[in-house]
Amino acid sequence: LVMHSETASVGATPFVNRYSAGWSMPMSKAVSTGPVAQFAVDDSTLSCPKCAGVDSNNAEHIASVGWRVDSSLSGISPWAQVSYSHLVNEELPSPTRERAEDINGRESNWVDVSVGANMPLGQNMAAFASFAQTGAVTSGEQFIYSLGVSASF
């Protein structure tokens, strides 16, 4: 069982807390699979002049459960994950919003499907690529593409 927590911040102000857990079960020497779960807490508030007509409490709590497959093939580590997510706190919409779907253009329940791969580029660097499709966004743009290089120091 692997557990992880992280906090994102803007300056010195905490922005989002995310707690995740997963259980990796080896299927072979190169493939593992298992359940994953995550709970994300966003207690941020909007404080800008243009935000005056919008509910200033932008709090969202999202619970997710899913299944992940990881592999390791000759230096490249492909992976895939499917998750079901639920927006937990939709019970008190502001007067300016009529439905849960109007909260940031997001549905209250959705499925995410992601695939990707990581490739080490030395001891402290790696390249990554991923593609995700989400059912969360009602605006029509439901695809996310990521490509990049990461470094650890």
Side-chain angles (χ1 to χ4, degrees):
L1 181 66
V2 176
M3 298 181 77
H4 181 72
S5 68
E6 60 184 281
T7 300
S9 60
V10 176
T13 307
F15 196 61
V16 177
N17 292 309
R18 186 177 309 169
Y19 310 95
S20 58
W23 183 19
S24 182
M25 299 177 287
M27 302 304 286
S28 71
K29 190 174 183 177
V31 177
S32 64
T33 187
V36 291
Q38 178 174 281
F39 186 70
V41 179
D42 177 1
D43 286 327
S44 62
T45 56
L46 300 174
S47 58
C48 63
K50 292 183 179 182
C51 302
V54 179
D55 182 12
S56 64
N57 186 1
N58 189 34
E60 291 185 346
H61 298 72
I62 300 170
S64 303
V65 294
W67 199 265
R68 184 174 174 99
V69 176
D70 291 289
S71 61
S72 180
L73 308 169
S74 301
I76 297 176
S77 300
W79 56 270
Q81 180 172 324
V82 61
S83 298
Y84 170 79
S85 298
H86 174 71
L87 181 61
V88 177
N89 60 329
E90 62 177 290
E91 68 276 354
L92 296 173
S94 72
T96 59
R97 294 186 264 199
E98 297 294 323
R99 304 177 318 159
E101 290 82 5
D102 293 333
I103 298 174
N104 295 330
R106 178 178 286 175
E107 296 284 344
S108 59
N109 299 294
W110 65 92
V111 174
D112 294 321
V113 178
S114 305
V115 294
N118 307 317
M119 183 177 76
L121 298 175
Q123 187 175 354
N124 297 324
M125 293 185 68
F128 64 89
S130 67
F131 169 77
Q133 179 179 8
T134 182
V137 183
T138 60
S139 65
E141 182 54 49
Q142 298 180 337
F143 302 103
I144 301 169
Y145 307 91
S146 299
L147 179 65
V149 177
S150 64
S152 61
F153 301 98

